[in-house]
Amino acid sequence: MSRPLRWRDGDGVRAVDLALADVLRRRDRADGVEPDERVLQAAALASLAIAQGHAAFDPARPELLLDDAGELPDARAWLQALAASRWVTTPGGDAVADSGAPLVLEAGLLYLRRYREYERRLAHGLQRLAAHPSDADVIDAEAIAALFAALFPHARDGDRQARAAAFALVQRLLLITGGPGTGKTTTIARLLLLLLAQAQHAGSAPPRIALAAPTGRAAERMAQSLRNAGTQLRATGIDAVLCDALPTAASTLHRLLGTIVDSPRFRHDIDHPLPYDVIVVDEASMVDLPLMCKLVEAVPVGAHLILLGDRDQLPSVEAGDVLAAIVDAAGDDDALPVASAHALQPLLGIVPATSGTTHGLTGHRVQLKRGYRLSDALDLAPLATAMRDGDADRALAVLRDDALRGVHFHDGLLDPLAGATRDALLAPWRALADMADPAQALSLANRMRLLTALREGPQGAHALNARIEEALAGAQRAPYFHGRLLLITENSYRHGLFNGDIGICLRDDEGATVAWFAGSDGPRAFHPAALPAHTGAFAMTVHKAQGSEFDEVWLQLPRLDARPLSRELLYTAITRARSALHVCASEGVLRAALARHAVRISGLAARLAR
């Protein structure tokens, strides 16, 4: 008889994780089988792994889930017990896992069956797109060479944006990666113009284009960037007909795929593909494993899928670190098959070509050079590079360099709402009290944000919002006082509001309070009581801020080190800033965060490389 399942306080194991183990235990006893507590413990941890953002549980690295893993079984014996269990299936190769077993053991990882299948299906879908025959034999590079040269005058001098745009002409799957400010959306505007021009010269119908992002805020930012790019390109003399054909709206991925109420399925899937020829997804690092699987399966045969993102940012809140896995599988080699390389020579000059057949996702990724949204007011590049690399000594030296433009280090400050920083932090929000025009108020509201790593606790977003609201409107404030910022926390297609959208409460001429949110045709008004789930938005977690940017960012780290802290979280937080950055932290917590990777257990990269 194996030792009963035991957990320590603080392990983080949830009731739902234990419930899975209890179901398997009862089933064993009902069938006259002695439960193996090692298998039940692993089952609970496989469930917990999903909650912590992993695709699977690694018995060789339980410390990624538990702070104290000292009493757990030896990894080798644990794997042997799992392989022998009737609750665990071990499919070979890319075979579908047996639906009669809730757990899958593969390549040393233990999956909940559903998530193993998401991973297998996603890998298959990406390989399908990558393996689609190149358009090298149909592209007329000479016909669009003049437009290409106008869009990318430095194309033959190693311009990475030009390279990405040219690759999109011949590849059905393309990853465009790079940090903030590297021109990903600028590249997309020019890339889409080339695809439109190619269809025009061929006498074909213009490609049907969809723009999407994981959140409503990120989708609107993408659409606005495309609208701005179209206006700018038209002003430089680019064909107005082509510029007018650029898409001007974007949607969330859920809306693109077609949400079905109370169902995990979407209206568009492998049997009912999306009605588009080109699908562009921004902020791909935020897309979790199940959603990316469903998106890729819904891409029709022959369509282009273009993923934009920064693999150094935080991975998705839900399971998986999909973009990083795809990037790892694609590698740094951007050589093309010989026919494709030859077809692009009139545009790029000499293009590296493979000596034979490409493997995995080779030639499907272009990395743009980093810009980190450089401005005259903010010199973020040195700090962003140090944090991305986890170089604590360098990061601290940069933070303490008074000559660095726009970066302010409040060494050891753990409460920016007290002391000398209080008035500076609250001043932009106090100005909202004098605002009456919704458009102006929304613009001012997005100029500054206080970011934190945690949701709960005295330095979490909830407590900080409560303190800020009290400072602005008093302890006896109305729930929706004039100037209060709101953050939508769930998607509502009925309202056209989505997780991450920011709004502001303003009193109208009759004294009634209205919540205003940005829309494609201008601000939209809602009665506060009719809004979907929401919270305050003066302070936000870094995860919630991902996909947004603000003129000024204050980053407050907790008093003590915490598991959510990582170099990816710090990098994501500081790169939200456009003009000014304030970092409030102790040296010890900063060093601990930069020493930690936001590691996600997944077999996707290895699966794609096969």
Side-chain angles (χ1 to χ4, degrees):
M1 179 183 296
S2 56
R3 187 162 55 88
L5 186 65
R6 295 174 57 192
W7 301 101
R8 294 169 296 278
D9 291 341
D11 274 342
V13 180
R14 306 164 303 157
V16 68
D17 307 323
L18 297 177
L20 173 59
D22 288 341
V23 167
L24 301 183
R25 181 186 293 107
R26 289 196 299 270
R27 290 279 302 275
D28 274 339
R29 288 175 175 165
D31 295 341
V33 176
E34 180 62 31
D36 187 331
E37 295 293 336
R38 296 170 299 180
V39 174
L40 304 184
Q41 195 168 35
L45 290 174
S47 175
L48 175 63
I50 300 300
Q52 293 192 7
H54 304 280
F57 166 55
D58 185 353
R61 293 188 288 173
E63 67 277 3
L64 293 178
L65 300 184
L66 306 173
D67 290 330
D68 181 6
E71 297 182 12
L72 294 177
D74 171 75
R76 181 176 297 180
W78 211 350
L79 289 169
Q80 290 174 347
L82 290 168
S85 172
R86 66 175 184 151
W87 302 122
V88 180
T89 183
T90 56
D94 292 324
V96 177
D98 181 0
S99 60
L103 303 169
V104 178
L105 184 63
E106 186 175 23
L109 302 180
L110 184 69
Y111 294 82
L112 297 185
R113 181 185 179 276
R114 178 189 301 176
Y115 284 85
R116 187 269 181 178
E117 288 304 298
Y118 281 140
E119 192 174 278
R120 181 191 63 81
R121 287 162 47 195
L122 173 56
H124 177 77
L126 289 169
Q127 289 164 340
R128 168 180 66 87
L129 291 171
H132 190 278
S134 165
D135 282 345
D137 58 338
V138 297
I139 180 176
D140 186 354
E142 296 291 350
I144 60 173
L147 174 61
F148 192 91
L151 294 172
F152 302 103
H154 304 291
R156 293 173 180 265
D157 300 325
D159 183 346
R160 307 294 295 177
Q161 295 185 14
R163 193 175 198 80
F167 277 29
L169 297 173
V170 295
Q171 304 283 54
R172 298 294 170 166
L173 173 66
L174 181 64
L175 283 74
I176 302 177
T177 55
T182 51
K184 294 188 292 292
T185 51
T186 300
T187 303
I188 285 298
R190 289 163 167 76
L191 179 160
L192 294 177
L193 280 176
L194 291 170
L195 289 173
L196 289 163
Q198 185 172 260
Q200 184 185 72
H201 285 295
S204 305
R208 298 164 297 173
I209 302 169
L211 306 178
T215 67
R217 177 66 179 157
E220 178 53 32
R221 277 188 53 233
M222 184 187 194
Q224 184 62 51
S225 295
L226 263 292
R227 291 193 290 268
N228 293 342
T231 300
Q232 293 167 2
L233 290 166
R234 187 182 295 105
T236 64
I238 301 299
D239 186 347
V241 173
L242 293 177
C243 293
D244 290 341
L246 286 173
T248 58
S251 71
T252 64
L253 285 171
H254 286 81
R255 169 168 278 188
L256 175 72
L257 292 170
T259 300
I260 301 175
V261 177
D262 297 327
S263 171
R265 300 179 61 84
F266 291 104
R267 300 188 189 282
H268 294 288
D269 56 19
I270 195 168
D271 296 317
H272 308 88
L274 290 161
Y276 296 104
D277 305 301
V278 183
I279 300 161
V280 183
V281 179
D282 198 9
E283 298 290 352
S285 64
M286 299 171 64
V287 184
D288 60 56
L289 174 61
L291 184 56
M292 187 67 84
C293 172
K294 294 168 186 178
L295 167 68
V296 169
E297 287 187 332
V299 175
V301 174
H304 295 259
L305 175 63
I306 303 169
L307 303 176
L308 311 178
D310 183 356
R311 64 105 14 106
D312 296 314
Q313 285 191 27
L314 279 168
S316 62
V317 176
E318 306 299 334
D321 190 357
V322 176
L323 180 66
I326 300 173
V327 168
D328 289 343
D332 296 325
D333 183 6
D334 58 1
L336 290 172
V338 173
S340 296
H342 179 74
L344 296 181
Q345 279 187 7
L347 305 180
L348 296 174
I350 301 301
V351 182
T354 59
S355 57
T357 303
T358 58
H359 64 279
L361 303 183
T362 299
H364 292 271
R365 175 204 178 195
V366 177
Q367 172 76 13
L368 303 183
K369 293 181 180 179
R370 299 187 176 276
Y372 302 112
R373 282 193 198 99
L374 293 180
S375 69
D376 292 339
L378 179 62
D379 184 7
L380 197 59
L383 181 61
T385 299
M387 287 189 168
R388 182 201 70 204
D389 297 340
D391 187 339
D393 290 338
R394 178 61 182 157
L396 285 162
V398 170
L399 284 169
R400 289 169 174 150
D401 182 358
D402 293 336
L404 197 65
R405 296 192 314 275
V407 177
H408 310 277
F409 183 35
H410 305 280
D411 198 346
L413 179 63
L414 300 176
D415 187 3
L417 287 170
T421 57
R422 177 181 174 87
D423 288 341
L425 181 59
L426 293 175
W429 294 324
R430 283 180 170 147
L432 295 173
D434 299 325
M435 303 297 294
D437 180 77
Q440 292 179 350
L442 285 168
S443 176
L444 180 60
N446 280 314
R447 289 181 185 173
M448 191 180 77
R449 202 67 81 237
L450 174 60
L451 303 184
T452 177
L454 309 174
R455 285 195 303 269
E456 307 298 338
Q459 293 167 311
H462 289 170
L464 290 171
N465 266 309
R467 291 180 61 200
I468 294 168
E469 291 177 4
E470 181 175 350
L472 295 175
Q476 304 302 318
R477 62 192 178 276
Y480 297 97
F481 60 87
H482 185 88
R484 187 189 180 200
L485 299 186
L486 301 178
L487 172 69
I488 300 297
T489 58
E490 70 176 14
N491 293 332
S492 173
Y493 295 93
R494 180 169 64 90
H495 294 83
L497 294 173
F498 303 96
N499 187 3
D501 284 355
I502 301 291
I504 186 168
C505 297
L506 300 175
R507 286 190 302 273
D508 61 20
D509 294 338
E510 299 178 357
T513 300
V514 176
W516 292 90
F517 289 81
S520 57
D521 297 323
R524 297 175 297 147
F526 298 87
H527 191 285
L531 292 173
H534 58 277
T535 186
F538 296 101
M540 298 169 62
T541 63
V542 178
H543 267 293
K544 282 293 186 184
Q546 198 168 356
S548 299
E549 57 182 29
F550 311 98
D551 290 342
E552 187 173 357
V553 166
W554 287 68
L555 172 62
Q556 178 185 344
L557 297 188
R559 186 177 304 273
L560 300 174
D561 184 29
R563 182 182 286 273
L565 293 177
S566 66
R567 66 183 64 172
E568 289 82 4
L569 181 137
L570 297 185
Y571 171 85
T572 302
I574 68 169
T575 54
R576 300 309 91 204
R578 286 186 294 231
S579 301
L581 170 69
H582 297 260
V583 177
C584 307
S586 67
E587 177 177 336
V589 170
L590 267 173
R591 287 188 177 276
L594 290 171
R596 182 182 293 116
H597 262 305
V599 176
R600 293 287 177 87
I601 299 300
S602 166
L604 180 59
R607 202 181 295 275
L608 286 169
R610 286 204 291 268

